[in-house]
Amino acid sequence: MGLEVQPLAAGLLAALVGFASTFAVVLQALAAVGATRAQAASGLLALLVVKGAVAIFLSLRSRMPISLAWSTPGTALLIATGMPVGGFPVAVGAFLVASGLVVAAGLWRPFGRAVRAIPVSLASAMLAGVLLDLCLAPVRAAGAMPTLALPVVVAWALAWRFARAYAIPIAVLVTAVIVVLATPLPEGALADIRPHAVFVMPAFTWSALVGIALPLFIVTMASQNIPGLAVLNSNGYHPPVGPIFVATGLASAVISFFGGHLVNLAAITAALCAGPDAHPDPSRRWIAAATAGAAYIALGMTATFAAAFVAASPPLLIQAVAGLALLGSFGAAIQTALVREDERVPAIVTFVTAASGISPYGIGAAFWGLLAGGAMLVLARSRRN
């Protein structure tokens, strides 16, 4: 019986860490692209419930620990991009197109190979550029509101030293305490905290397709799905890739109509479910991933409360917590971007362009960064030839 409790505990831990670490980033990202509080809460609800249900389905069907997550790099991209012309419906249209690209990568092998052929250095540099501004938020918050931000940063640093897996949840908890003490919720803010799904009719523009959908698809594939597969492979699991991409892409398409962006293979929390700590018997670890899925569905019932709480918090403080949560992703992206010496300058060009925040023709900096870096890489290779 003790061994069966082990995967249940591992799954619950994975869900709690995955939710507490980045739910504020998701809400901030949806608000950044124009979502109202109700729409952002609906998006969070849809992400949690659908990714939980699909994780249960895939894990039960394959008897493998297939853990899902929302696209954390994608949330950073949305924050950096900001609200497109046309507002949130245009962003939702971009989510829907990105979902279709994931499905295409699963169904059409040549397209999947083409996506995997995008240099990892450039994709990582683009992600690092997108993350940079948000990762500066803890420093800015400490300078602008030290009495509120410094306790959060100190709590995170101490937890990172002594209980690294819990560093961000502890920072979120400290932030919650500070918000309750320093910035009381407006009267009536929690009058109705029942979960509500809000349908959003998508709209489509070329600038959003190029500036949001394409970069969102690329960073999700490069920074979530591929590392997620690597975690599974390193633990002895080799699931068929196509069906997973199709399932997560279709799930993301459903979620987009209710305000959420992409779901994908988990990378960080996947290790909690796929590793030996989940169960000594690899054939029983799927229970951990299925348990995490069930826990995500339950956490979805808190989406409206979470949105109200974040909306009442000082924005810079929420950005600081988000920046702390993304420091690890930023470090990994920078490291990967600079590994190959022959691609280092193109990667740097990608990074600085993506970090610049420029948006010619209404197209975000992430796309221009990938384009500029790709052009530099072509020049470098033509010189060698």
Side-chain angles (χ1 to χ4, degrees), residues 13-385:
L13 176 61
L16 289 172
V17 170
F19 173 77
S21 298
T22 51
F23 80 90
V25 189
V26 172
L27 291 170
Q28 186 183 3
L30 295 177
V33 291
T36 65
R37 194 178 83 183
Q39 289 170 332
S42 174
L44 181 63
L45 168 66
L47 285 163
L48 287 165
V49 171
V50 174
K51 79 173 181 178
V54 175
I56 293 172
F57 169 76
L58 291 175
S59 298
L60 283 171
R61 184 178 181 182
S62 66
R63 288 299 195 268
M64 298 183 194
I66 310 296
S67 302
L68 298 187
W70 47 55
S71 176
T72 302
T75 60
L77 171 71
L78 298 180
I79 293 171
T81 302
M83 186 167 64
V85 176
F88 192 53
V90 171
V92 168
F95 300 164
L96 188 59
V97 172
S99 303
L101 292 174
V102 175
V103 173
L107 291 176
W108 190 28
R109 290 185 179 180
F111 180 60
R113 287 195 295 268
V115 172
R116 289 190 290 272
I118 295 173
V120 175
S121 60
L122 298 191
S124 299
M126 180 181 70
L127 175 60
V130 166
L131 292 175
L132 176 61
D133 189 68
L134 198 55
C135 288
L136 293 173
V139 181
R140 293 170 178 160
M145 48 177 67
T147 57
L148 298 181
L150 283 178
V152 176
V153 175
V154 170
W156 168 81
L158 292 174
W160 182 85
R161 168 62 180 83
F162 295 104
R164 192 163 297 185
Y166 305 96
I168 298 303
I170 288 173
V172 171
L173 180 61
V174 173
T175 302
V177 172
I178 290 173
V179 169
V180 169
L181 295 178
T183 56
L185 291 174
E187 185 177 351
L190 301 180
D192 184 7
I193 58 173
R194 294 173 300 169
H196 295 284
V198 178
F199 181 82
V200 182
M201 179 62 69
F204 302 93
T205 66
W206 281 111
S207 61
L209 298 184
V210 177
I212 298 178
L214 186 58
L216 178 60
F217 166 68
I218 292 173
V219 298
T220 298
M221 294 296 289
S223 303
Q224 291 276 177
N225 280 331
I226 293 175
L229 287 172
V231 170
L232 288 171
N233 293 340
S234 66
N235 284 282
Y237 302 101
H238 301 280
V241 175
I244 291 177
F245 288 171
V246 171
T248 56
L250 291 176
S252 298
V254 172
I255 291 168
S256 66
F257 286 104
F258 298 96
H261 64 306
L262 298 187
V263 295
N264 39 251
L265 284 171
I268 298 173
T269 54
L272 296 173
C273 295
D277 289 341
H279 201 288
D281 182 359
S283 68
R284 304 297 292 169
R285 294 175 193 166
W286 65 269
I287 299 173
T291 301
Y296 279 130
I297 294 174
L299 287 167
M301 302 303 104
T302 69
T304 303
F305 172 81
F309 190 83
V310 168
S313 305
L316 188 56
L317 191 62
I318 297 301
Q319 291 171 19
V321 177
L324 293 174
L326 294 169
L327 282 175
S329 298
F330 176 75
I334 281 288
Q335 182 181 21
T336 303
L338 302 179
V339 164
R340 294 191 56 170
E341 185 176 355
D342 59 328
E343 296 180 358
R344 195 163 295 166
V345 170
I348 290 294
V349 170
T350 301
F351 169 73
V352 297
T353 306
S356 69
I358 63 170
S359 56
Y361 308 106
I363 298 171
F367 171 78
W368 297 112
L370 195 62
L371 190 65
M376 289 297 297
L377 188 59
V378 170
L379 287 175
R381 290 176 175 175
S382 65
R383 179 183 177 184
R384 287 199 303 269
N385 293 334

